[in-house]
Amino acid sequence: MNAYDTTDLAFGDGTRVLREQRPLGQGGQGSVWGVSDRDDLVVKIYDRSPDDAQLRRLAAMLRARPLEREHLLPDQPPLLVWPTSLVEAGGRPVGYGMPRLPSSHIPLTGLLQKQVRLRRFEGQAHWRFLLGVAANLAYMTAGLHAEGFVVGDLSSTNAVADQRGFITLLDCDSFAFRDALTGEDFGCDVFTDDYAGPERHAGEQPTAHSDDFALAVLVYQLLTGGNHPFDGAPKYGTEESTRKDNILAGTSFLLHPDRVVTPAQLLPPEVVPPQLLRLARQAFGPGLRNPERRPRSTAWLDALDEARARVLQCPAVPVHWYGGHLTACPWCRRQADRQSDPFTALGGRVPGQGSAAWSARATPSAQASASASAGASASAPAGASASAAAGAPGSSGAPGAGAAPGTSAAGASGGPAPSGGTGTTAPSGGPSASGPSGTGTPPHATGGPTPPGPASPTAPEPGAGTVGPEPEPGADGAAHAEEPVGVGATCAGLLILVGLLALLVWGIVTAVRAVF
């Protein structure tokens, strides 16, 4: 219950706030409410009257406009759920307003689960789509770092994606940054165990390097359908181990596969393109204890762009996409070997498919040319859009609850959840030195990648680039209808039957001629 009267609320400009009857979500600091006469806004109301430090942070956030120079498409969601105005009660600030997202957005935790991917994305959240989402996330992280902002609690619960792969970051009121007007540093005392490097667990304030660790984990998870690089249990020592335990001990199957017992369903690391696998091993090896040795978000973006330029489509199963470093479809191979396919509901052998071997050797492919030309990214003027359609169907926009800073993944779709997801509160280590102050462009190429075009009927104007793979071949990013993989076998059977009939007729004719 609030420690003060919030029945009569107004925005900073005096406009009255009419809250909906029930909150959309409840967090550790307050609750998030819909606004009755505004379907584009929600408000976060603190449970307790904000102290002076919170008020200074809110004032600084309202002055700041991170990523404001990014050119968004007309139907693209905001990149950040950033405070837009104060909410007051009796002339005293008690919260703030922020953009509302439709319930069609799902947290990245959903993309990391096979059943959620199949249900919410109708089978179109394939590997190429996940690769585009990873590129969008890297681009946004690089852009924030270039402007002096640190996410602080970057995790799968604090980012959501829509049906096209556009990314929006939540919980922005925990960002670490420096107020350009006063020079005051604002830190971040929350983090999520599974995405925090050892220095965060030790109580240090976040830096761009700590974001880079979280980004490395998320990219690896996205490209392996949810596998965490610190999954498994050490072969020697304790029988049970959490991901946090493994991070602190440096126990990762990517670096020491002989020391870790991994779950049977984990995908082999070789499905990840080599340049990205090298970055992951750098981040979790030398970079684990030495944050400055971790690959930066710009390095991840470059490697993801390279991988997008070489993505291949399986000729047998259209929703099977994979890296150009492989000689055959790894997902078909898993089906042939009676293993789980991360991207279809089918199990067992693919009709008409043998148990063709695949390897990580880089070989040319006839399909690489079309994918490469459509998926490559080039440099663009500063201000190019930070995220793009990642190749899923373009239908989104189901009405529903909003997502906002201070709400968790569940709060993004209207359900209650604690602020920061499964976050852990770290001891405050003082203000964060979060990088250079002021604004700038992401340090990528000449200002930002030029994406292949979004999954929408109208292409963006020149210079208004987006990140992420282009829509699937077809009508405006609409979902593919899967081609029957047994057509060839059926045709072959018919040809054999016709041949047998011809032989029978020829035999009858020959016998008749012999008699007469």
Side-chain angles (χ1 to χ4, degrees):
M1 180 178 293
N2 293 321
Y4 47 87
D5 182 17
T6 59
T7 55
D8 188 15
L9 300 175
F11 288 115
D13 61 1
T15 304
R16 189 178 180 188
V17 177
L18 300 175
R19 286 188 294 178
E20 295 177 352
Q21 292 185 350
R22 296 178 180 275
L24 302 175
Q26 185 74 37
Q29 294 181 320
S31 53
V32 177
W33 300 76
V35 181
S36 298
D37 56 347
R38 294 288 301 272
D39 59 4
D40 60 332
L41 285 177
V42 293
V43 294
K44 177 174 180 177
I45 306 301
Y46 290 115
D47 288 337
R48 299 182 180 277
S49 182
D51 58 23
D52 289 341
Q54 285 178 297
L55 293 177
R56 292 198 306 274
R57 175 187 281 271
L58 273 178
M61 293 186 74
L62 291 171
R63 285 191 292 269
R65 289 291 184 267
L67 303 182
E68 69 172 345
R69 293 194 291 175
E70 300 298 332
H71 176 78
L72 303 184
L73 299 172
D75 58 347
Q76 183 176 344
L79 304 178
L80 307 170
V81 180
W82 193 260
T84 57
S85 62
L86 286 176
V87 174
E88 299 177 346
R92 177 172 178 78
V94 296
Y96 56 87
M98 54 203 156
R100 180 172 186 163
L101 300 177
S103 61
S104 56
H105 287 66
I106 69 168
L108 294 190
T109 49
L111 278 178
L112 303 180
Q113 301 173 50
K114 174 181 175 178
Q115 295 306 319
V116 178
R117 288 197 302 270
L118 294 177
R119 183 176 70 254
R120 296 293 297 272
F121 290 87
E122 301 178 352
Q124 292 303 304
H126 40 60
W127 190 83
R128 178 169 172 261
F129 178 91
L130 298 179
L131 183 65
V133 170
N136 289 345
L137 195 60
Y139 185 89
M140 291 174 63
T141 305
L144 288 168
H145 290 174
E147 295 183 12
F149 292 86
V150 171
V151 180
D153 189 19
L154 182 60
S155 73
S156 59
T157 61
N158 289 341
V160 295
D162 72 358
Q163 294 289 318
R164 298 160 299 171
F166 289 120
I167 294 290
T168 301
L169 295 182
L170 312 179
D171 285 342
C172 297
D173 55 355
S174 64
F175 276 23
F177 67 101
R178 174 173 294 169
D179 184 3
L181 178 65
T182 66
E184 182 177 3
D185 287 321
F186 297 97
C188 173
D189 293 333
V190 296
F191 58 85
T192 304
D193 285 351
D194 292 358
Y195 299 91
E199 75 280 3
R200 291 289 278 143
H201 288 288
E204 295 183 18
Q205 281 290 302
T207 65
H209 299 305
S210 56
D211 280 357
D212 292 333
F213 182 89
L215 177 64
V217 174
L218 284 167
V219 169
Y220 189 85
Q221 284 187 294
L222 285 165
L223 299 189
T224 56
N227 297 171
H228 194 286
F230 289 91
D231 275 335
K235 288 184 178 180
Y236 312 102
T238 179
E239 294 183 358
E240 295 185 1
S241 181
T242 65
R243 291 170 175 172
K244 173 185 174 181
D245 295 332
N246 289 342
I247 290 172
L248 294 178
T251 303
S252 173
F253 59 83
L254 288 178
L255 297 164
H256 309 290
D258 56 329
R259 303 181 191 174
V260 185
V261 180
T262 57
Q265 70 271 21
L266 284 190
L267 296 178
E270 289 75 22
V271 301
V272 178
Q275 68 274 27
L276 291 164
L277 195 55
R278 283 193 296 270
L279 292 181
R281 286 174 170 149
Q282 174 72 19
F284 309 135
L288 183 70
R289 309 289 180 197
N290 188 348
E292 293 185 356
R293 297 187 65 182
R294 295 170 189 165
R296 302 300 301 267
S297 51
T298 49
W300 282 105
L301 181 57
D302 288 338
L304 287 162
D305 280 349
E306 180 183 344
R308 288 170 51 226
R310 303 189 61 219
V311 69
L312 304 178
Q313 185 178 26
C314 176
V317 183
V319 295
H320 280 175
W321 295 80
Y322 57 94
H325 64 295
L326 301 175
T327 60
C329 177
W331 322 126
C332 285
R333 171 59 188 270
R334 289 184 65 83
Q335 287 195 14
D337 291 344
R338 309 293 184 184
Q339 295 177 310
S340 174
D341 175 358
F343 302 108
T344 71
L346 300 176
R349 187 178 298 275
V350 180
Q353 286 291 102
S355 182
W358 61 275
S359 73
R361 297 189 305 273
T363 59
S365 168
Q367 295 208 18
S369 58
S371 298
S373 62
S377 90
S379 58
S385 175
S387 71
S395 62
S396 65
T407 63
S408 72
S413 58
S419 177
T422 56
T424 299
T425 300
S428 176
S432 167
S434 57
S437 58
T439 60
T441 57
H444 173 67
T446 59
T450 298
S456 62
T458 305
E461 59 198 67
T466 51
V467 177
E470 75 288 357
E472 306 298 332
D476 304 325
H480 275 293
E482 290 195 18
E483 299 174 7
V485 294
V487 171
T490 302
C491 292
L494 289 174
L495 289 174
I496 292 173
L497 181 59
V498 171
L500 290 174
L501 290 174
L503 286 174
L504 180 61
V505 171
W506 178 80
I508 293 172
V509 171
T510 302
V512 170
R513 286 180 177 177
V515 171
F516 295 99

